[in-house]
Amino acid sequence: MAHVVVALVPIVDPQLATRQLTVADGGDLALGDTRHVLGPFDEAALETALTIRDKSPGSTLSVLVFGGAEANETLRFAMALKADKARWIAINTRHGWDARGIANAVSEAVRSLPLPADLLLMGPEFGDHDDGLVPPLVARALGWTFFQWAFQVAPLAEGFAFTRDAGDFEERLATHMPVVATVSTHPSVRLRLPLLKNIMAANRQQVATEQVDGGPVGTELVSLSLASSGRRRGENCNLIQGDSDSQAAAFASL
């Protein structure tokens, strides 16, 4: 038996036509009532959590949905899939790109759960601008083991077994709890759909937003601006050769 937690954050619908998007002051998208959906990584994380519960009688599944009003539909979707607990959480951070602040807020939300968590599943690009920094920072804040890019998670007697692709091989790790793991997409992982009666029941339930604080900003902001480089794509391109150490040194010198 285990308490599995999955953290979700809805994204702008990738199928939305770009002409429907506008840019507000400060360079952020003016989203308004723009439709938000689960990204493919979050779908995989949610399905993996549901599968673990199916295979472990007595296990508990909690879903944490982070965001503003756009999170409401995702929360009700999780409720319709019969999550044991579903919470809608707004993060107070000074900057949307502050990975440490977001990670602190996520870890605080996990700590505040009534039942201690054994496994936290997340998408590898959760809550940032494709940096991939939030999940390992969450693991650091919680002091838990971290595993990246799992496409399969299997419960063990006293822990979990994780599998990920590594080129021509598959890497497997068996470890004790608690663990933070990111979940990748895989042909074998496809998010199930809820029953209509469960959707109707979820839509009738009252939900409330909880607030968590990301704490002080992780990066002290001096100034932030956007400017065109004036370069045409394809110019000033260097192909860096050598082993990983040589490439890292070349990047650093650039």
Side-chain angles (χ1 to χ4, degrees):
M1 295 187 296
H3 180 199
V4 179
V5 180
V6 59
L8 307 173
V9 57
I11 63 172
V12 175
D13 188 348
Q15 297 184 9
L16 186 71
T18 55
R19 64 177 179 274
Q20 297 178 253
L21 299 176
T22 57
V23 178
D25 293 340
D28 289 332
L29 288 176
L31 298 177
D33 296 328
T34 302
R35 173 176 164 81
H36 283 64
V37 297
L38 283 180
F41 293 126
D42 280 16
E43 286 188 353
L46 179 54
E47 178 57 34
T48 299
L50 291 165
T51 301
I52 293 172
R53 188 183 61 175
D54 292 345
K55 294 181 178 180
S56 303
S59 293
T60 302
L61 171 60
S62 296
V63 177
L64 304 178
V65 182
F66 295 85
E70 74 279 359
N72 179 56
E73 187 173 346
T74 298
L75 180 78
R76 295 187 185 279
F77 181 77
M79 294 164 63
L81 287 172
K82 308 300 288 184
D84 298 291
K85 299 289 183 181
R87 301 170 67 181
W88 176 4
I89 299 173
I91 299 178
N92 296 322
T93 59
R94 285 173 54 190
H95 305 293
W97 43 260
D98 177 38
R100 194 180 74 178
I102 295 172
N104 289 342
V106 173
S107 61
E108 181 60 30
V110 173
R111 289 193 191 96
S112 68
L113 291 170
L115 180 66
D118 299 306
L119 173 65
L120 172 61
L121 298 177
M122 311 175 69
E125 297 171 353
F126 177 96
D128 58 29
H129 298 283
D130 293 345
D131 293 328
L133 296 177
V134 172
L137 288 173
V138 171
R140 179 181 179 184
L142 292 170
W144 295 6
T145 300
F146 177 68
F147 190 83
Q148 179 82 300
W149 294 107
F151 72 81
Q152 186 179 76
V153 183
L156 303 175
E158 297 182 356
F160 297 94
F162 302 90
T163 305
R164 68 182 172 201
D165 281 321
D168 295 332
F169 304 92
E170 289 183 352
E171 294 181 341
R172 294 187 177 92
L173 170 71
T175 184
H176 295 291
M177 303 177 286
V179 185
V180 175
T182 62
V183 181
S184 67
T185 57
H186 192 270
S188 64
V189 181
R190 185 172 182 177
L191 181 60
R192 67 193 70 180
L193 296 176
L195 298 175
L196 179 59
K197 65 176 183 179
N198 293 337
I199 295 175
M200 297 175 63
N203 288 337
R204 289 194 297 266
Q205 294 188 45
Q206 296 291 326
V207 296
T209 309
E210 303 174 33
Q211 299 279 340
V212 293
D213 192 349
V217 68
T219 303
E220 187 59 33
L221 179 64
V222 178
S223 65
L224 178 66
S225 62
L226 300 175
S228 173
S229 65
R231 299 195 191 112
R232 295 179 60 187
R233 182 172 296 182
E235 296 179 355
N236 301 318
C237 178
N238 295 324
L239 183 62
I240 296 177
Q241 306 288 348
D243 58 21
S244 57
D245 290 337
S246 299
Q247 292 179 25
F251 275 120
S253 65
L254 288 172

